[in-house]
Amino acid sequence: FDMARNIRFSTRITSAAYDEASGGWTVETEDSETFAARWLIMATGPLSSTHIPPFPGREDFTGEVYHTGVWPHHPVDFTGKRVAMIGTGSSGVQATPVIARDAAQLTVLQRTPGHSWPARNRAMLPGEQEAVKARYPELREYWQTLPGATFFRTLLTDDPIVPGTGSAFDVSDEERLAIFERAWDYGGYAVLRAFSDLVTTEAGSLLVNAFIHEKISTIVSDQETAEMLKPRQLFGTKRLILDSDYYETFNQPHVDLVDVRSDPIERLTQAGIKTRDRQIDADMVIFATGFDAMTGSLSRIDFTGKDGIRLADVWQGGPQSYLGMLVSGFPNLFIIGGPQSCSALANVILANEQQVDWFCQCIRDMLDRDNRTIEPAPEAQTNWVEHIAELADASLYTKADSWYLGSNIEGKPRNFLLYLGGYPAYRARCEKVAEEGYEGFVLEPA
Ligand code: NA7
């Protein structure tokens, strides 16, 4: 597509200021270079600013240090090394079996055990890829009708779970168990589709908890370790983790699990990690400690909008936006995959495409109608923010701490950061807004 000539690599933006006179933006790089633009589109990513908790003594540790979110492009050799890894979200859980393969010793420091389900990744069967590609237009249309716009295999071949609309309590215990077992053997997110109430009601959620607890007890030989690995929060309060032999890995003699909830990390030392009760010597420390999600990359840029207002001040108590795409007081500033849109809750490719298409149409419409700027009306923005909170309060998501709520970052206000109404409803709402002449937006004539 000959894109390279339009891309400037290795360029970090430090500030962006709206200019009332021109109705556009000036962005400044860390090298004090400036660029002017009428429209500014932030594609800075929902899970792109990594987070390392401020453990004392970080500089004292003399071994290798990595974060799972900024993994080096060169291979990292674990062979014969003592590795300590902090964090058991998707990143930590998926890294554990891989590191254990070569390391001499792996110590996993876990604060909150998550729900993990086998991924069962596999090579494509002969002809499978061709069969999918032959049906792309049809499949893409179909995915657009699903809450997460997410690819799954039901339409293709062997998915054993027919999307269920009924309650998990409508079937007998035996039948439910058989469905859970099929979903376990098949792997991936199939279980989420089995019944309507597994992630929406406490009673449904506890059924999955019981199933996973049983699996962990069966897989993990040492029952003390098994107990530590069992998730206690409700299923559906965080993203389901998918793994390849995570629980099995703890049966290997050189792999240890440390519960840092009961034995907290005090500091890093020259030789490794000091918890209250033990010293873990390590050649390598890996932070699998996640991200300053949804707002982290935006908050690292100093945005100044109309009348000198700063985005940092407007968002002090949590993000404010209309449709997760534009912010009142910051005209012509578009955010892709931003807070209060579907973003990380939907198929990222389709969700990004939908927003990019919307922005492009919006810009074309503005040029056609001779409008200079667009920004949300304050009232529409307030209503959207309230709508986000209402949807979240009706879900289980607010019942545990996670990056969805910003509560993984010290001092970050606790707000649910995504739109929970599902991708089809979000897309329909965006289309309706545009069709109705950008209802809820203020368009300034040139
Ligand atoms: P996550 O899911 O935010 O996981 C971070 C992990 O790090 C989690 O287990 C945290 O425990 C742990 N953590 C964070 N801070 C600390 C401190 N101070 N002490 C001990 N442990 C800590 O990030 P991931 O990178 O795994 O995954 C992010 C998303 O990327 C994921 O949802 C997928 O969508 C892909 P906690 O649970 O907070 O007790």
Side-chain angles (χ1 to χ4, degrees), residues 47 53 55 86-92 111-112 238-239 260-261 265 288-291 403 408:
L47 288 155
F55 297 119
I86 305 172
T88 54
S90 301
S91 302
R111 188 166 65 182
T112 314
K238 294 188 182 190
R239 177 167 297 194
V260 296
R261 177 83 60 189
I265 297 169
T289 45
F291 300 86
W403 57 262
N408 61 324

Side-chain angles (χ1 to χ4, degrees), residues 72-85:
H73 288 202
H74 60 77
V76 174
D77 187 9
F78 307 110
T79 313
K81 290 180 185 157
R82 296 162 305 167
V83 181
M85 179 163 66

Side-chain angles (χ1 to χ4, degrees), residues 139 142-143 146 150-156 159 161 163 193:
L139 290 172
Y142 175 56
W143 298 331
L146 304 172
T150 309
F151 170 87
F152 65 89
R153 286 174 266 179
T154 301
L155 280 192
L156 304 179
D159 189 332
I161 303 294
R193 300 189 300 276

Side-chain angles (χ1 to χ4, degrees), residues 41-337:
I41 301 178
M42 301 310 297
T44 38
L47 288 155
S48 46
S49 288
T50 52
H51 171 64
I52 295 184
F55 297 119
R58 236 183 78 189
E59 307 310 320
D60 297 347
F61 179 63
T62 50
E64 295 168 71
V65 177
Y66 300 101
H67 187 291
T68 45
V70 277
W71 202 254
H73 288 202
H74 60 77
V76 174
D77 187 9
F78 307 110
T79 313
K81 290 180 185 157
R82 296 162 305 167
V83 181
M85 179 163 66
I86 305 172
T88 54
S90 301
S91 302
V93 164
Q94 291 171 0
T96 293
V98 180
I99 297 167
R101 245 183 346 239
D102 295 328
Q105 173 70 37
L106 171 61
T107 308
V108 177
L109 292 89
Q110 166 193 275
R111 188 166 65 182
T112 314
H115 296 86
S116 196
W117 200 271
R120 311 262 186 235
N121 290 331
R122 59 167 176 81
M124 289 197 188
L125 303 169
E128 200 170 24
Q129 192 177 49
E130 293 74 9
V132 173
K133 288 191 169 169
R135 297 173 65 191
Y136 256 165
E138 178 199 351
L139 290 172
R140 284 221 159 190
E141 274 310 306
Y142 175 56
W143 298 331
Q144 304 264 5
T145 66
L146 304 172
T150 309
F151 170 87
F152 65 89
R153 286 174 266 179
T154 301
L155 280 192
L156 304 179
T157 46
D158 57 344
D159 189 332
I161 303 294
V162 176
T165 49
S167 159
F169 294 93
D170 289 347
V171 297
S172 69
D173 290 354
E174 292 73 33
E175 209 176 321
R176 186 189 317 118
L177 189 62
I179 291 174
F180 282 172
E181 287 288 354
R182 284 212 304 276
W184 184 268
D185 290 343
Y186 184 69
Y189 286 141
V191 63
L192 297 175
R193 300 189 300 276
F195 300 103
S196 63
D197 49 358
L198 299 180
V199 295
T200 50
T201 69
E202 207 163 315
S205 156
L206 289 171
L207 293 172
V208 188
N209 270 21
F211 180 80
I212 292 186
H213 286 192
E214 186 58 36
K215 283 289 174 199
I216 294 172
S217 291
T218 311
I219 296 169
V220 180
S221 321
D222 175 50
Q223 286 309 302
E224 208 178 309
T225 305
E227 283 308 306
M228 275 162 51
L229 286 167
K230 290 180 183 173
R232 305 293 166 183
Q233 74 276 11
L234 292 173
F235 180 70
T237 49
K238 294 188 182 190
R239 177 167 297 194
L240 175 59
I241 301 169
L242 299 180
D243 73 87
S244 302
D245 295 334
Y246 176 62
Y247 296 125
E248 288 82 350
T249 302
F250 290 96
N251 290 335
Q252 299 180 33
H254 67 297
V255 180
D256 285 329
L257 185 67
V258 173
D259 173 13
V260 296
R261 177 83 60 189
S262 60
D263 179 14
I265 297 169
E266 286 187 343
R267 57 179 299 115
L268 267 70
T269 64
Q270 199 182 346
I273 299 173
K274 170 83 182 73
T275 67
R276 191 192 56 207
D277 298 340
R278 68 186 94 193
Q279 167 70 35
I280 300 157
D281 290 343
D283 304 304
M284 185 189 289
V285 168
I286 299 175
F287 292 100
T289 45
F291 300 86
D292 184 355
M294 306 313 304
T295 56
S297 299
L298 295 168
S299 67
R300 289 169 199 198
I301 296 170
D302 186 13
F303 288 94
T304 316
K306 276 161 91 175
D307 306 321
I309 53 168
R310 296 180 60 240
L311 191 67
D313 294 331
V314 176
W315 283 14
Q316 198 177 28
Q320 311 280 315
S321 78
Y322 182 35
L323 303 173
M325 295 202 280
L326 287 103
V327 183
S328 182
F330 298 81
N332 294 0
L333 172 69
F334 298 98
I335 305 168
I336 299 175

